[in-house]
Amino acid sequence: MQTIQIIFVALFGSVLGSFTNVLISRLPEEETITGRSRCPECGQVLGVFDLIPILSYLLLRGRCRYCGLTIPARYPMVEVLSALVLLSAYWRFGPDISSMIVSGVYVVFAVAIFFIDFQHAIVPNSLTYPVGLMALGLAVFGHAMAPPLTSALLGAFIGGGVFLLMFVLTRGTGMGMGDVKLVFVMGLALGPLQILPAVLMAALLALAFYGVVAFLYKRNIDDLESFELTMDDEEE
């Protein structure tokens, strides 16, 4: 029974990763997240067998079935990463439906923001605001995955306050208000005792990821088809 649950969680995580890829591709371009997926090169509407998480990429050998365009490796990477993160949530909280739903939302939120921020240097309000409201609601109603309301608010003001102070002192150099809002939401979700270690871990993971990508592509990041580094000064 547990094996079946693990397989289901992994499959569901990869599906969440597929949806996360839609967010990563469309939100920075201010496109709607509804509607059929299309190849960005030939405009062909993708069929069901073109959209199976992970498997389609492998069967198509990383290319569009219709025009041969190379599919960025980010797509299966996000799907695998989402599956692994959701599996870790399963091991942590068990097969509780409510906790898995909350974990799924947080997985989509975290992975989408990680890649959008890495590619475009923005943190969309369309992600932080809804998830922030959800985190606050979970704390208000005493959900098992949320800290008590007082702790949630304290975590938000500590984390967000520290980053807001850094933003003011550095005049926005190296970060924007989107980062402040992001850490505020993380504080709501984690509370005061976990927010600073979480921010530190996230920063280290981001640096490690950047280092791996730079090494694999011989530090020629600007030539990557999978990533667009447009270091805008403002956050959305």
Side-chain angles (χ1 to χ4, degrees), residues 50-209:
D50 302 318
L51 299 172
I52 301 173
I54 304 171
L55 185 61
S56 289
Y57 182 87
L58 296 176
L59 293 177
L60 294 173
R61 298 181 181 180
R63 293 186 176 277
C64 172
R65 180 194 305 274
Y66 308 99
C67 68
L69 176 73
T70 299
I71 302 172
R74 182 253 297 169
Y75 285 86
M77 185 188 304
V78 167
E79 292 163 355
V80 171
L81 179 61
S82 298
L84 292 176
V85 175
L86 196 62
L87 278 172
S88 69
Y90 170 80
W91 285 112
R92 173 66 177 81
F93 300 105
D96 177 72
I97 298 298
S98 176
S99 296
M100 291 305 299
I101 291 174
V102 174
S103 298
V105 173
Y106 283 153
V107 166
V108 171
F109 171 71
V111 176
I113 282 187
F114 179 88
F115 281 91
I116 291 174
D117 195 21
F118 182 80
Q119 291 177 226
H120 304 280
I122 58 175
V123 180
N125 291 333
S126 54
L127 288 176
T128 52
Y129 288 171
V131 176
L133 288 174
M134 186 190 81
L136 180 60
L138 293 174
V140 168
F141 290 102
H143 192 275
M145 286 190 62
L149 179 59
T150 302
S151 295
L153 294 175
L154 185 59
F157 284 109
I158 289 177
V162 169
F163 268 64
L164 179 60
L165 179 62
M166 293 170 59
F167 174 79
V168 172
L169 293 177
T170 62
R171 298 180 181 180
T173 303
M175 72 167 62
M177 279 302 298
D179 298 299
V180 177
K181 298 171 190 176
L182 171 60
V183 179
F184 186 89
V185 172
M186 291 174 63
L188 282 175
L190 299 173
L193 298 181
Q194 299 184 50
I195 179 59
L196 295 181
V199 170
L200 178 60
M201 180 175 295
L204 292 175
L205 288 174
L207 287 173
F209 179 77

